[in-house]
Amino acid sequence: MLASIIDKVTQNVRLSADEAMTLVMEGDIHDLGRLALQVRRRRHGDKAFFVYNQHINYTNICQNACRFCAFSRRHGDKGAYVLSIDQVVREVQSRSSEPIRELHVVGGLNPDLPYTYYPSLVQAVKQARPEASVKAFTAVEVAFLAERGKMTPYQVLEDLRRAGLDALPGGGAEVFSPALRKQLCPEKISGEAWLNIHRIAHQAGIPSNATMLFGHVESWEDRISHLLALRNLQDQTGGFLCFIPLPYQPRNNALGAQGPDGLDIMRMMAVSRIFLDNIPHLKAYWVMTGVKTAQMALWYGADDMDGTVTEERIGHAAGAQSPKGLTRTKLVQAISQSGFAPVERDSRFRAVIC
Ligand code: V47
Ligand code: SF4
């Protein structure tokens, strides 16, 4: 059985969810790594992508209380903040001498902010940095905006697009299993609702990314079901650019699980690359994996290391041990020293000439 599954991957034949489960349960780390590397090389050769980007977390005030989250605060809590649009613009302008290609903008579900804040924010950052793509607001934020503005998600996305939105980030997917969501993030939109917002975005011509939070209390069945739901949607829309398995960071939150070890991260990367035959890119998000593990992940199917980031808050609130940002030189070095060819890209993974 395992041998025939390995053959299928080698011959570029799609695996069923059951076959992926067998591969994970019976295949050893070398089987997984070898196959994932084959698949990765078929798509991208020895290229490994990165982006010169800036993260903006406009508020950490959130009406939800996901048990794994160490970033969110309630209004009035110590450390709670919200940035005015002017403050965000100043943050963007403070780095105007750097060749930033992507602005990654996400925040909590802050009931104090009016609907108009969001399109105005997109418009303001786009104006401050017209050459950068704006990748902003997870599906969870889009659903929150639709509810508050008494609009459909499509209308919200159209407003944001008119303001300058280029892509949706992949956050908020967590694990789609309804039972696990009840346990981990009961107030959050369902997996189905998350997928539906990405479907609407794709139909409206807005590409997006997808994540999965792993290494806490979920099983391999939960992981493969999550991947299957993404693959099914991608078959219909083709709008996902990249999948990002996010290793759970275990500090300062209510969940208290352990987090995945290095081997588990490699297995997750490899299976994602092998199973998601229709999502072009797989990201080793160095912030959550650590830089050294992200380097290894390039050998286990990943082809992207995300970007310079500066200054990351969500993973670090939960104890991430990585730096808060990397220079382009450090990223290029990390990729080259792993034996891959660094390619600077934009939000849509088009190579940029530096
Ligand atoms: O949505 C929250 C997750 C996400 C923890 O689309 C945690 O290119 C680990 O989605 N441990 C935000 N993860 C990060 C994210 C992302 C990052 C970089 C690039 C892109 C992209 C997306 O972080 C949240 C949530 O799923 N998260 N708490 C934690 N303790
Ligand atoms: Fe709020 Fe997002 Fe944190 Fe959940 S993960 S508490 S929705 S900021």
Side-chain angles (χ1 to χ4, degrees):
M1 181 68 176
L2 180 63
S4 74
I5 292 171
I6 290 175
D7 264 3
K8 268 189 159 178
V9 180
T10 306
Q11 286 162 34
N12 208 6
V13 177
R14 172 172 276 196
L15 296 189
S16 68
D18 284 347
E19 288 167 333
M21 274 306 292
T22 305
L23 182 59
V24 171
M25 292 302 153
E26 294 178 18
D28 65 27
I29 186 69
H30 300 295
D31 294 327
L32 288 170
R34 184 168 45 82
L35 291 174
L37 185 61
Q38 238 177 55
V39 176
R40 175 227 198 279
R41 282 208 164 123
R42 223 182 271 149
R43 271 190 178 275
H44 304 294
D46 282 334
K47 290 181 190 160
F49 297 90
F50 71 97
V51 61
Y52 205 124
N53 63 355
Q54 178 176 9
H55 277 209
I56 292 160
N57 300 123
Y58 56 92
T59 184
N60 65 352
I61 296 175
C62 187
Q63 67 179 26
N64 285 3
C66 303
R67 296 188 64 220
F68 49 78
C69 180
F71 166 75
S72 74
R73 296 286 180 276
R74 296 289 164 150
H75 183 105
D77 279 358
K78 191 164 169 250
Y81 72 87
V82 54
L83 301 180
S84 69
I85 291 173
D86 282 351
Q87 283 173 310
V88 171
V89 167
R90 278 200 292 278
E91 229 180 77
V92 171
Q93 283 172 338
S94 72
R95 299 184 60 194
S96 59
S97 61
E98 296 174 58
I100 286 167
R101 301 279 178 173
E102 176 188 271
L103 299 166
H104 173 110
V105 184
V106 293
L109 310 182
N110 185 339
D112 305 333
L113 290 171
Y115 177 81
T116 50
Y117 174 91
Y118 297 83
S120 305
L121 180 65
V122 171
Q123 197 171 27
V125 296
K126 193 73 175 178
Q127 222 163 42
R129 208 70 217 231
E131 68 285 13
S133 301
V134 181
K135 184 182 71 178
F137 310 131
T138 65
V140 179
E141 289 163 282
V142 172
F144 172 71
L145 283 182
E147 196 185 296
R148 287 177 57 76
K150 298 195 174 26
M151 298 160 79
T152 64
Y154 177 77
Q155 288 169 322
V156 171
L157 288 167
E158 274 302 312
D159 271 359
L160 295 172
R161 204 232 314 250
R162 269 195 296 273
L165 179 81
D166 294 293
L168 289 188
E174 322 312 354
V175 197
F176 292 143
S177 150
L180 276 185
R181 279 182 113 72
K182 222 183 250 175
Q183 197 183 331
L184 296 170
C185 47
E187 303 116 321
K188 195 164 254 173
I189 55 168
S190 66
E192 225 170 281
W194 186 98
L195 288 161
N196 197 39
I197 285 174
H198 282 260
R199 178 197 308 278
I200 294 166
H202 298 171
Q203 285 164 347
I206 303 169
S208 70
N209 293 337
T211 57
M212 179 176 74
L213 181 66
F214 77 100
H216 40 91
V217 295
E218 85 293 355
S219 64
W220 269 106
E221 280 84 359
D222 296 321
R223 294 180 186 183
I224 301 292
S225 302
H226 187 101
L227 297 184
L228 182 62
L230 291 175
R231 192 173 79 176
N232 286 342
L233 178 56
Q234 181 75 342
D235 276 344
Q236 295 163 37
T237 66
F240 286 122
L241 296 168
C242 181
F243 177 62
I244 312 154
L246 294 171
Y248 166 67
Q249 310 295 310
R251 311 246 183 283
N252 311 319
N253 60 23
L255 186 59
Q258 237 190 350
D261 63 16
L263 209 66
D264 195 13
I265 295 175
M266 292 310 130
R267 292 177 78 84
M268 188 61 228
M269 287 285 167
V271 170
S272 304
R273 183 59 287 166
I274 294 164
F275 190 72
L276 294 175
D277 58 352
N278 55 1
I279 299 188
H281 297 281
L282 178 68
K283 183 179 296 191
Y285 185 40
W286 61 263
V287 167
M288 304 284 192
T289 61
V291 177
K292 292 176 185 174
T293 305
Q295 286 179 300
M296 284 306 297
L298 296 177
W299 289 95
Y300 285 78
D303 63 276
D304 184 69
M305 286 236 327
D306 197 76
T308 48
V309 178
T310 332
E311 140 168 19
E312 202 284 329
R313 291 189 176 88
I314 298 171
H316 284 86
Q321 298 294 299
S322 54
K324 288 196 168 178
L326 288 177
T327 61
R328 184 208 257 154
T329 309
K330 283 247 163 75
L331 259 176
V332 166
Q333 253 171 21
I335 293 171
S336 308
Q337 285 169 356
S338 324
F340 290 88
V343 177
E344 187 167 345
R345 63 164 176 89
D346 64 11
S347 266
R348 292 193 181 219
F349 289 82
R350 294 172 296 215
V352 299
I353 312 298
C354 339

